[in-house]
Amino acid sequence: MLQQLGQLPMGWLLIALIAVFGSAAFFIGRVRAERLLLSTTGRMHSRPNYHGYYVAMWSAVPVMLVAAGYAIFAEQLTRTQLTRELPSSFSALSAAELQSYLESVRMAAGTAASAGADRVFQAVTNRYLELRGLVNAGTLVLLGILASAGMFWAQRRLKPSFRARALVENGMELVLFVCAGVAIATTAGIVLSLLYESLQFFQKVSAWDFLTGTRWNAQTEAEFGALPLFFGTFMIALIAMLVAAPIGLFSAIFLSEYASPKARGWIKPILEILAGIPTVVYGFFALLVVAPAIRTAAIWVNETAIQLGLASEPILAAQPTSALAAGLVMGIMVIPFVSSLSDDVINAVPQTLRDAAYALGATKSETVKQVVVPAALPGIIAALLLAVSRAIGETMIVVMAAGKSARISMDPTSDLTTITVQIVSLMTGETGFDDPKTLSAFALGLVLFIVTLAFNVVALRVVKKYREKYD
């Protein structure tokens, strides 16, 4: 029985119980409020729905707290008790070996131990299921008691003068505050983890050498000069913005000022589809179509220059993967960010400015160039900065189309690498977290975080200035 309880899909079961108890409590609270409404001669303070929400809140919240506690502590509690009960022969195992063994037990318990498993492993697996079954049973009992008690207590408080609406709104305000707190805590956790691991890295490698060094070879744990990674990141982002900025901005101007409502209704959704295409698809397109075309064009340029006597040797690298291929495709990917945000900003320009320009005899193009675009310029700059942040953080396109060579080269047809690509490379494998190779990934992540944060802060400041001007 306990082993069967230990195999229950508790995650889905807890979600179902939250929905069931919440719905039942809402129904009970609403029915009781409607009966009070029929039996009283006065006026009720809150509508019956608010009474239902109040009872549901006191029934579902304890269930949610129990579910959260189960998700956090159930596995650790089971493993701790199982470790205490293991035979003395396991005492010789290291902490890592014991954790690996317990993880294999947990995986076997999730399916079923194979018929050929040895008796010790089978016994430990069965005991794990029994302990997990005890935890599951205790959780379900506690959940039912708390939900029933909350439902009973809340519905007893209902009466015509009960301020259910105010309490429900206060409860929702608390929920929103907790959600905001979780977001802030997550951001703080990311920053603190990056800072801690980065400080561990800078204790082993000089920060100055890391930021200004021109040789990167983290695989040998000997060379951690990240300047080539910074160069490759910003070069590919620059190429992307040279594509996305004019196309996105001109698209926004056309949609806002020249396109008919029917044309805008068709073009804008199609343009925004680009933002929904997975980046791996862009990577395949860059690798299979754009990169070979760039290499073919570069070879033609080299041959033509040599034949005309303009050069004695190839002037372009013409490699199968290149920064230019990644940058061009990344620019296509970023176009919707520029066009959508710029379109919203241009539409926000007051119509009175356009009417004033027309009254002075300005043409449509003159109004756009000399009135609309300058008025929307802060918002357009903010859109471009946000697009740059998106381009800097892109990984998949660069992995597939730009290569992994850490070098400083002004030739866009040569392969380069970026910060994000190196983070992926460094974090894959079996290297320990105290190794300089792995810690360097956190240092790169910290630099990338600071750069993108700076771009976003500048963009928000610009948007704030724009809003203050027209609000």
Side-chain angles (χ1 to χ4, degrees), residues 164-434:
R165 183 179 65 183
L167 294 175
V168 169
E169 291 178 350
N170 290 338
M172 290 305 302
E173 183 178 352
L174 179 61
V175 170
L176 297 176
F177 175 78
V178 170
C179 291
V182 169
I184 295 173
T186 303
T187 304
I190 293 173
V191 175
L192 291 177
S193 63
L194 285 176
L195 282 175
Y196 176 78
E197 301 295 344
S198 299
L199 290 176
Q200 297 292 320
F201 172 74
F202 289 132
Q203 289 178 359
K204 302 179 180 182
V205 178
S206 171
W208 177 256
D209 294 340
F210 174 76
L211 295 174
T212 61
T214 58
R215 295 182 62 86
W216 177 267
N217 189 8
Q219 301 298 329
T220 63
E221 304 176 9
E223 296 172 319
F224 293 97
L227 198 59
L229 308 184
F230 303 150
F231 177 84
T233 299
F234 287 107
M235 182 175 183
I236 293 176
L238 176 62
I239 295 173
M241 292 311 300
L242 289 177
V243 174
I247 296 178
L249 179 57
F250 293 159
S251 300
I253 293 174
F254 172 76
L255 292 174
S256 300
E257 302 297 324
Y258 292 96
S260 63
K262 183 177 180 180
R264 177 185 172 87
W266 279 95
I267 296 175
K268 189 174 176 65
I270 294 175
L271 188 62
E272 292 180 347
I273 288 177
L274 294 174
I277 298 176
T279 55
V280 67
V281 177
Y282 282 110
F284 278 124
F285 176 70
L287 179 64
L288 300 178
V289 179
V290 179
I294 290 176
R295 186 170 186 266
T296 301
I299 292 174
W300 179 84
V301 170
N302 289 336
E303 293 176 349
T304 304
I306 293 174
Q307 291 175 359
L308 296 177
L310 300 177
S312 58
E313 59 184 15
I315 57 177
L316 297 176
Q319 293 178 338
T321 56
S322 63
L324 183 58
L328 291 176
V329 177
M330 193 183 298
I332 296 174
M333 180 193 69
V334 175
I335 285 175
F337 293 88
V338 180
S339 62
S340 295
L341 294 174
S342 299
D343 178 46
D344 294 338
V345 170
I346 292 173
N347 281 326
V349 174
Q351 183 62 33
T352 53
L353 296 180
R354 298 179 177 85
D355 295 339
Y358 295 147
L360 293 174
T363 62
K364 184 80 168 180
S365 61
E366 290 173 342
T367 301
V368 171
K369 289 184 295 184
Q370 300 179 17
V371 177
V372 176
V373 172
L377 189 60
I380 293 173
I381 294 174
L384 294 176
L385 291 176
L386 291 174
V388 170
S389 299
R390 178 67 180 85
I392 289 176
E394 175 55 36
T395 304
M396 187 57 68
I397 295 175
V398 183
V399 169
M400 301 179 69
K404 294 185 179 181
S405 298
R407 67 175 76 180
I408 298 177
S409 174
M410 298 302 297
D411 183 1
T413 63
S414 63
D415 60 336
L416 297 176
T417 190
T418 63
I419 295 175
T420 54
V421 172
Q422 287 301 310
I423 291 175
V424 172
S425 299
L426 295 169
M427 295 301 291
T428 54
E430 299 181 357
T431 308
F433 265 71
D434 58 345

Side-chain angles (χ1 to χ4, degrees), residues 9-21 63 67 143:
M10 286 295 290
W12 292 108
L13 185 58
L14 291 175
I15 293 175
L17 289 176
I18 291 173
V20 168
F21 279 112
V63 177
L143 183 146

Side-chain angles (χ1 to χ4, degrees), residues 62-73:
V63 177
M64 295 173 67
L65 293 177
V66 171
Y70 176 87
I72 296 173
F73 300 110

